[in-house]
């Protein structure tokens, strides 16, 4: 039996990068799609603007509000479609907010006041609009749980992968220094005559031209560098863990369906 191997390259709350060995591009892709489309997060969904004296159109402000990442407790909310209120809206599936500001000032994301103390903005200093002397902005609305597959504002993360590169010397290398210098990712070095490639290579191929085709970069899809960047209130680790639970759930559903066959 062949087991997946994972080696972590980068780890912080917002970003996780790792190498998966003994895998396939299909597995990496299903993980990518699940992380970007199927992890429910909270985002502003409706807004009623009562007063807007600023030069910004209501639609522009509403769009900006929708894209502000929110921190929330995952186990506190139901999906609107699965809630007792049948999607009509209640404290179990949505949170209400107000913004009430008077110029001169910049209205920031931290000026959004939610009626749930566990909900807040991830970045408090995101500017939304400017108010001049005497101008007012007043709005209220709701944030709901949703999925990235329905709208980008509910996208939990950006996720992408690339094949792990292997480098081969297939000719005579004349100018080592130039090859090292030309690599935009500084991924190439030499140990004596042996060429060493680091994980940061993005297969751009600059070194191949610089070596007059004395080098060849190959990759076979069984070793993949996977990167996930959170663009929501969840951490990158939470998103990847939940993606794996989703995949397990789907496999179980499939198993159940097979039993009926
Ligand atoms: Zn509800």
């Amino acid at each position: 039996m062949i087991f997946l191997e994972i080696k972590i390259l980068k780890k912080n709350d917002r970003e996780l990068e790792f190498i998966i060995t003994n895998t396939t591009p299909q597995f990496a892709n299903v993980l990518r799609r699940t992380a970007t489309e199927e992890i429910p997060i909270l985002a502003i969904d409706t807004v009623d603007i009562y007063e807007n004296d600023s030069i910004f159109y209501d639609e522009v402000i509403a769009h900006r509000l929708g894209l502000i990442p929110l921190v929330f407790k995952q186990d506190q909310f139901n999906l609107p479609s699965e809630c007792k209120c049948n999607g009509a809206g209640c404290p179990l599936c949505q949170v209400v907010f107000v913004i009430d500001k008077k110029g001169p000032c910049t209205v920031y994301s931290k000026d959004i006041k939610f009626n749930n103390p566990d909900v807040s903005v991830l970045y408090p200093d995101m500017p939304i609009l400017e108010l001049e002397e005497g101008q007012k902005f007043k709005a209220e609305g709701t944030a709901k749980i949703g999925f990235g597959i329905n709208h980008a504002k509910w996208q939990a993360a950006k996720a992408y992968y690339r094949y792990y590169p292997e480098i081969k010397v297939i000719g005579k290398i004349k100018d080592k220094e130039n090859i090292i210098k030309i690599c935009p990712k500084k991924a190439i070095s030499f140990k004596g005559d042996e060429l060493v490639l680091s994980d940061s290579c993005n297969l751009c191929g600059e070194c191949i031209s610089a070596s007059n085709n004395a080098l060849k970069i190959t990759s076979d899809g069984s070793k993949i560098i996977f990167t996930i960047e959170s663009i929501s209130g969840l951490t990158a680790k939470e998103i990847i863990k939940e993606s794996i639970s989703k995949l397990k759930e789907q496999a179980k559903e499939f198993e159940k369906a097979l039993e009926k066959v």
Side-chain angles (χ1 to χ4, degrees):
M1 195 168 178
I2 299 170
F3 292 103
L4 290 185
E5 278 173 34
I6 305 287
K7 183 185 163 200
I8 304 289
L9 298 178
K10 205 190 274 180
K11 186 177 80 175
N12 59 50
D13 270 3
R14 311 308 305 156
E15 194 177 351
L16 201 56
E17 188 165 74
F18 48 88
I19 300 172
I20 321 177
T21 310
N22 298 329
T23 188
T24 60
Q26 289 80 359
F27 175 74
N29 197 38
V30 82
L31 194 58
R32 179 191 69 82
R33 290 190 71 131
T34 310
T36 53
E37 295 177 354
E38 293 186 41
I39 305 304
I41 60 157
L42 188 73
I44 289 177
D45 188 40
T46 63
V47 56
D48 289 317
I49 298 177
Y50 299 121
E51 216 166 350
N52 176 17
D53 300 327
S54 77
I55 57 164
F56 295 85
Y57 292 116
D58 290 359
E59 292 84 348
V60 172
I61 297 169
H63 181 246
R64 286 184 178 185
L65 290 172
L67 298 177
I68 291 171
L70 304 179
V71 180
F72 66 104
K73 289 193 172 157
Q74 273 179 297
D75 51 6
Q76 209 178 57
F77 292 100
N78 296 329
L79 284 171
S81 57
E82 293 168 6
C83 192
K84 279 186 274 181
C85 69
N86 291 323
C90 73
L92 292 175
C93 64
Q94 68 177 33
V95 51
V96 176
F97 71 90
V98 291
I99 306 173
D100 191 356
K101 293 292 285 182
K102 200 173 169 188
C105 68
T106 301
V107 180
Y108 290 100
S109 47
K110 62 186 168 202
D111 297 316
I112 306 173
K113 305 295 175 200
F114 294 95
N115 72 342
N116 179 331
D118 294 324
V119 175
S120 59
V121 294
L122 178 64
Y123 302 111
D125 294 318
M126 291 175 82
I128 302 168
L129 64 121
E130 289 274 351
L131 292 174
E132 298 296 333
E133 181 73 46
Q135 292 184 335
K136 284 183 195 164
F137 181 80
K138 210 171 177 181
E140 66 174 43
T142 56
K144 284 181 194 150
I145 299 282
F147 294 97
I149 197 165
N150 296 324
H151 195 288
K153 69 184 172 188
W154 283 305
Q155 192 175 323
K158 283 198 293 173
Y160 44 91
Y161 60 90
R162 59 189 195 272
Y163 292 1
Y164 189 88
E166 308 279 350
I167 199 156
K168 279 185 188 156
V169 180
I170 52 166
K172 197 166 168 44
I173 296 173
K174 288 174 195 153
D175 190 353
K176 284 184 193 172
E177 288 309 311
N178 188 37
I179 292 171
I180 293 169
K181 215 170 88 188
I182 207 142
C183 176
K185 293 283 179 182
K186 305 286 169 241
I188 291 176
S189 57
F190 284 90
K191 255 188 198 168
D193 271 350
E194 197 189 329
L195 196 147
V196 183
L197 194 65
S198 82
D199 297 335
S200 60
C201 170
N202 65 353
L203 303 169
C204 75
E206 287 288 335
C207 57
I208 294 170
S209 329
S211 71
N212 278 327
N213 296 320
L215 293 180
K216 193 179 175 192
I217 292 182
T218 58
S219 49
D220 67 2
S222 69
K223 196 169 174 183
I224 279 171
I225 303 175
F226 193 96
T227 311
I228 175 155
E229 287 174 42
S230 171
I231 50 170
S232 64
L234 304 180
T235 64
K237 192 178 169 186
E238 281 171 335
I239 296 166
I240 210 85
K241 273 179 83 176
E242 204 167 317
S243 305
I244 290 166
S245 311
K246 282 259 166 190
L247 291 176
K248 276 188 198 163
E249 253 173 54
Q250 285 170 3
K252 265 190 194 155
E253 289 295 317
F254 186 48
E255 198 181 13
K256 259 194 229 162
L258 268 182
E259 275 166 16
K260 291 180 197 156
V261 174

